[in-house]
C-alpha cells in the first residue's frame, strides 16, 4: 500500500491510498520511482517527469473508500480526509524491494475502530 499525502493551503490534509500489487503488470507512474527511491528515511527527493496520465488511467473507474481518519505515522494527525482505491495498481518487484529496504515497518499498529466507519464505496 502506498499513500500520497496532500496538504491544502489551509493546512488540511488529504491522503490517497493505493493498494499495490507486484503480480500484475506494473503501472508506468509507479515504475518511474524505481531506482529513485531515497535510501534512508527523511531524505527528500524531487521526482520530475512523472506520468500522471498513467496513474489516472490505472484508477479510472475504480471504486474507492472515503473516510475521515488520521495519518498512519507520527504525529498521527487526526482529521485527515482519506480516499483509498479498491482496485490494486501494478508495481514492479524492484519498486517493492527498494521501498521496503528504506521503509521497513512504517505504520502504527491497528487501533480499535471506535465510532469510525468507512463510507460506502463510491465510483470515480
Amino acid at each position: 500500500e502506498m499513500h500520497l499525502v496532500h496538504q491544502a493551503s489551509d493546512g488540511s490534509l488529504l491522503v490517497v491510498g493505493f493498494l499495490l500489487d507486484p503480480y500484475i503488470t506494473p503501472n508506468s507512474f509507479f515504475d518511474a520511482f524505481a531506482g529513485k527511491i531515497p535510501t534512508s528515511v527523511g531524505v527528500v527527493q524531487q521526482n520530475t517527469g512523472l506520468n500522471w496520465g498513467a496513474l489516472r488511467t490505472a484508477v479510472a473507474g475504480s471504486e474507492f473508500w472515503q473516510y475521515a481518519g488520521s495519518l498512519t505515522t507520527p504525529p498521527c494527525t487526526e482529521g485527515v480526509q482519506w480516499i483509498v482505491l479498491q482496485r490494486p495498481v501494478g508495481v514492479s518487484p524492484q519498486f517493492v524491494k527498494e521501498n521496503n529496504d528504506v521503509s521497513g515497518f512504517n505504520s502504527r499498529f491497528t487501533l480499535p475502530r471506535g465510532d469510525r466507519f468507512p463510507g460506502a464505496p463510491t465510483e470515480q
Side-chain angles (χ1 to χ4, degrees):
E1 187 170 342
M2 179 180 207
H3 303 151
L4 298 180
V5 182
H6 307 271
Q7 185 171 29
S9 58
D10 66 0
S12 61
L13 296 172
L14 167 71
V15 177
V16 180
F18 298 89
L19 304 175
L20 305 178
D21 187 344
Y23 299 103
I24 59 177
T25 303
N27 179 278
S28 62
F29 175 81
F30 292 101
D31 234 14
F33 289 98
K36 298 178 184 173
I37 295 175
T39 56
S40 60
V41 175
V43 174
V44 176
Q45 182 169 331
Q46 183 175 357
N47 289 311
T48 58
L50 297 176
N51 184 352
W52 291 98
L55 181 61
R56 190 171 33 255
T57 299
V59 303
S62 178
E63 290 187 337
F64 57 90
W65 295 285
Q66 182 175 340
Y67 59 95
S70 61
L71 294 178
T72 60
T73 56
C76 301
T77 305
E78 294 187 3
V80 176
Q81 186 64 41
W82 276 81
I83 297 172
V84 180
L85 288 115
Q86 291 184 9
R87 184 182 337 146
V89 177
V91 293
S92 69
Q94 179 185 359
F95 176 88
V96 173
K97 180 186 180 321
E98 290 176 2
N99 191 52
N100 289 345
D101 285 350
V102 70
S103 65
F105 180 79
N106 70 343
S107 62
R108 67 181 181 197
F109 294 98
T110 303
L111 301 173
R113 187 180 80 184
D115 62 353
R116 297 170 298 172
F117 187 79
T122 314
E123 273 202 31
Q124 187 179 25

